[in-house]
Amino acid sequence: MSLDTVVEDIRDEARARAEEIRSEGDERAEEILAEAEADAEAIRGEREAEVEREIDQEREQRLSSAKLEAKQARLGARRDVLEDVYDDVEQAIADLEGDRREALTQELLSAAAAEFDDGAQLRVYGRAEDQSLIEDILTDYDDATFAGTRECLGGVVVESEASRVRVNNTFDSVLEDVWEENLREISARLFEE
């Protein structure tokens, strides 16, 4: 064997070994590339799912917020309507005249006077516009006098000189009590609940 043959054999072995290493490297590169592509696809899928969850969550939050705003607006509108109705009722009560006003005032005064002991000296207060009406009604009471005016829609406030008791039988107080007791029913009728 000549030196040229040995050199040629070594070169052939080196080429074969280089080809084997290159082939193994290509296979390994393909494996790494396939793994990287699979990882990228998994990451992309996870990210898409995460973005979808965030979108759904944002949509739910906005929907909830919009529903809450709508509910608040509806409640505000109902409150405004109820306030308007209350104001209209107050005005209707303030506008009562004649026999109807006299009968109601007399009834409220009688109910208030019943809260005091017999013979108690009573001071009666009422609306300035009703002073003569109240004074006329008080002619039937020996122990009661008109003591002054109060800001109210009508009716009376009665106090005893001997005790600290005060009975508020004004139209305002009666309206407020009736309104509070019947607010749910009033609301149901107005808004057909």
Side-chain angles (χ1 to χ4, degrees):
M1 243 201 204
S2 74
L3 189 54
D4 286 337
T5 306
V6 171
V7 169
E8 197 53 42
D9 284 342
I10 292 174
R11 280 188 187 156
D12 286 343
E13 276 183 40
R15 282 187 204 121
R17 182 68 185 133
E19 188 57 38
E20 186 180 310
I21 291 172
R22 191 176 9 256
S23 177
E24 287 175 4
D26 287 346
E27 285 177 21
R28 183 65 185 135
E30 286 178 20
E31 287 175 11
I32 291 171
L33 185 60
E35 286 175 13
E37 286 175 354
D39 287 347
E41 190 60 36
I43 290 170
R44 186 175 19 257
E46 289 172 9
R47 185 64 185 135
E48 285 175 357
E50 183 180 325
V51 167
E52 281 298 318
R53 279 192 304 274
E54 288 176 6
I55 290 170
D56 289 344
Q57 185 178 9
E58 181 71 22
R59 185 180 303 124
E60 283 299 315
Q61 286 175 342
R62 288 185 181 195
L63 183 60
S64 293
S65 179
K67 284 180 180 178
L68 180 61
E69 285 179 32
K71 185 176 183 178
Q72 288 173 335
R74 192 169 48 253
L75 289 174
R78 285 182 175 193
R79 185 176 47 252
D80 292 345
V81 168
L82 286 170
E83 286 174 5
D84 290 345
V85 169
Y86 189 89
D87 292 344
D88 290 347
V89 170
E90 270 188 332
Q91 189 60 52
I93 290 171
D95 291 344
L96 285 174
E97 295 179 342
D99 293 341
R100 182 77 173 135
R101 180 172 281 281
E102 182 177 350
L104 290 173
T105 304
Q106 196 163 18
E107 195 173 316
L108 291 172
L109 178 58
S110 176
E115 297 292 321
F116 296 94
D117 294 331
D118 288 338
Q121 290 300 308
L122 303 179
R123 293 187 305 246
V124 179
Y125 301 87
R127 188 172 90 147
E129 294 89 341
D130 292 343
Q131 181 173 348
S132 63
L133 169 65
I134 294 170
E135 288 174 341
D136 286 345
I137 294 171
L138 288 177
T139 58
D140 295 337
Y141 293 84
D142 295 332
D143 51 2
T145 58
F146 188 79
T149 62
R150 289 274 199 269
E151 275 296 316
C152 63
L153 298 173
V156 293
V157 175
V158 180
E159 297 176 345
S160 168
E161 291 182 9
S163 68
R164 296 181 185 188
V165 176
R166 174 185 290 160
V167 178
N168 183 352
N169 269 4
T170 60
F171 292 170
D172 310 68
S173 66
V174 173
L175 172 60
E176 191 173 314
D177 290 344
V178 169
W179 186 263
E180 289 301 320
E181 289 173 14
N182 296 291
L183 184 58
R184 186 174 295 234
E185 183 181 331
I186 293 166
S187 181
R189 278 185 165 182
L190 286 173
F191 306 112
E192 297 180 20
E193 295 174 346

